[in-house]
Amino acid sequence: NVDLIGEMQETNIKYAFSHRIWDPYHAVRHFWDHTLLYMQSRDIDLRTREGMPDVAVEISLPGAADIVGEPMVVYNGKSIMADFQIMDVKWWSSGSFWDYFLYVDSMGGWWTDRWGDTAVRTVAVAMHLNHEEVWQFDLPYAHQKFCRCGANSSKS
């Protein structure tokens, strides 16, 4: 038996989850653009962030299409799903998360673009938590099109 909450408390994990899936484009339309503006206004540079969890973004190397010639931060389109997650409520009610949440809320995308909460939480984890504070646990779990049903099952 695994005591997920006990393990989280012992290792100072603030967010644990079972899986990630691809967000449909309509659920995140314009979301990343607004997030980039937020990060710029708060001097958050994920390209230089040490210990960032590998959950939401990728750093792409400069290519022919990159006008600025610097590595770019790109939302990978995968979100941590909310159907099996455990979180430290203290962190989620902290200033850093709420500052981002209120900014996203002020953009109106919940209503105009039907943004989902999963993308917001996923990107907040990448922006504000360290790799050691995030845990993707490996327990049998199935929901809709996702299944981790055995040793050879598909993983997120």
Side-chain angles (χ1 to χ4, degrees):
N1 290 346
V2 177
D3 178 2
L4 297 173
I5 295 172
E7 180 75 20
M8 289 177 68
Q9 289 174 336
E10 288 177 20
T11 57
N12 197 32
I13 292 172
K14 300 207 179 353
Y15 188 66
F17 65 98
S18 65
H19 66 287
R20 297 177 296 158
I21 66 170
W22 293 103
D23 265 326
Y25 174 75
H26 69 271
V28 293
R29 188 169 45 120
H30 306 299
F31 166 71
W32 187 243
D33 297 329
H34 290 296
T35 295
L36 289 172
L37 289 171
Y38 171 83
M39 290 189 294
Q40 183 179 28
S41 72
R42 305 302 194 274
D43 291 325
I44 297 171
D45 188 351
L46 297 183
R47 296 172 299 177
T48 59
R49 182 158 142 38
E50 294 291 324
M52 181 177 68
D54 181 26
V55 294
V57 299
E58 298 170 359
I59 310 301
S60 69
L61 297 176
D66 295 337
I67 296 170
V68 294
E70 296 178 4
M72 309 261 312
V73 179
V74 180
Y75 175 59
N76 67 15
K78 282 184 123 178
S79 288
I80 297 169
M81 296 312 295
D83 42 298
F84 194 174
Q85 64 183 347
I86 306 168
M87 55 183 80
D88 179 342
V89 176
K90 290 178 196 169
W91 183 78
W92 290 96
S93 59
S94 71
S96 61
F97 174 74
W98 277 100
D99 183 60
Y100 176 57
F101 177 84
L102 292 173
Y103 175 86
V104 169
D105 187 45
S106 74
M107 297 296 108
W110 306 112
W111 310 106
T112 59
D113 295 316
R114 297 194 63 216
W115 290 342
D117 60 315
T118 56
V120 174
R121 275 195 317 277
T122 302
V123 171
V125 164
M127 274 194 287
H128 298 293
L129 292 179
N130 291 321
H131 180 74
E132 300 81 31
E133 297 173 308
V134 179
W135 177 29
Q136 182 174 2
F137 47 81
D138 189 14
L139 296 175
Y141 182 74
H143 179 79
Q144 295 176 353
K145 294 181 181 180
F146 175 83
C147 182
R148 182 181 291 124
C149 302
N152 295 324
S153 64
S154 65
K155 303 223 180 198
S156 63

